Amino acid sequence: MTEPTGSRRQRAARRAGEFPPLPEPLPSPVLDSHTHLDITVSEAGVPGGGPADDPVAAAVAVAAGVGVDRLVQVGVDVGSSRWSADTADRYPAVLATVALHPNEAPRLADLDEALREIEALAARDRVRGIGETGMDFFRTGDEGRAAQEESFRAHIAIAKRYGKALVIHDREAHAEVLRILDDEGAPDTVVLHCFSGDAEFAAECARRGYLLSFAGTVTFASAGALREAAALTPIDQILVETDAPYLTPMPHRGRPNASYLIPLTVRSLAATTGADLDQLCAAVSATGDRVFGPW
């Protein structure tokens, strides 16, 4: 979950604005590897104008209509992690990850108790990842970094104990994230959510076998360095996400985001990487199944 600078203004725009129109469907299905359905429906409403009595079903249906047939719902604290796990149990197209967001860890009165609750959720079958966890030097200052690191190390251990993917939030903390992964020993599967590094960092992550998940930021005019990173990432190490309701891809930046807008990011990545659109869809889909599946 990454809110860019000016997030207060953008939250207001999401509340007041309408969801963008449906994009052209993809030629073959892909997944949204990282979304926050709970925040989307509470802040922005029902994607696609579906039935308000079941906004999750509406979001799933409108996404499937454009070729986004699987969603990974991501927890950021105990409450949203529990909601994510319960939602994955109810909807066959949804899987879950659970964690304490790195900016959440320093705020907790009892970090150990919260981690115990996350570990209990990690044991559930349709919870397939531990995240988003990691380090964030943008929103948390020096006083909170020890708690972030303690929490991150604990999440790494949980991911390894349960054999689940580790989904990392890394904001302005690239070197520290790699250092801690090296100290602890990385799990078999590591996903850099909303990848924000440059080409050098992308090459290092790819060398280690990590997955790089690209969000709508890769479509922004200012994101040349991010496109350079995507261009050198092996196609079988690429995932695509919305981080909805945040980071809406161009040309709809500032409006509410939802999983059905994934085709805009996929098409941008195809142009950036030079991959055939069908080839990219197939690779992203296969990687998603390998990391999180079976659905």
Side-chain angles (χ1 to χ4, degrees), residues 170 172-180 201:
D170 161 30
E172 298 186 6
H174 307 326
E176 288 302 290
V177 164
L178 294 184
R179 175 183 66 80
I180 294 166
F201 185 57

Side-chain angles (χ1 to χ4, degrees), residues 17 32-33 40 43 47 56 62-63 83 85 94 118 141 148 179 182 211 222 225 274:
D32 180 352
S33 73
T40 300
E43 278 199 5
V56 172
V62 73
W83 189 93
V94 179
I118 293 299
Q148 282 194 352
R179 175 183 66 80
D182 288 344
L211 289 303
S222 59

Side-chain angles (χ1 to χ4, degrees), residues 63-115:
V66 296
V68 185
D69 64 346
R70 290 151 289 162
L71 284 63
V72 180
Q73 162 62 26
V74 175
V76 296
D77 55 24
V78 171
S80 65
S81 293
R82 188 176 296 115
W83 189 93
S84 299
D86 291 345
T87 299
D89 284 342
R90 290 181 57 201
Y91 298 92
V94 179
L95 292 175
T97 74
V98 299
L100 308 174
H101 191 282
N103 291 329
E104 177 72 7
R107 304 176 186 141
L108 294 171
D110 192 339
L111 177 59
D112 289 341
E113 174 58 26
L115 287 166

Side-chain angles (χ1 to χ4, degrees), residues 50 55 61 89 109 121 138 153 157 195 203:
D89 284 342
L121 292 168
F138 179 76
R153 289 179 185 274
F195 184 80

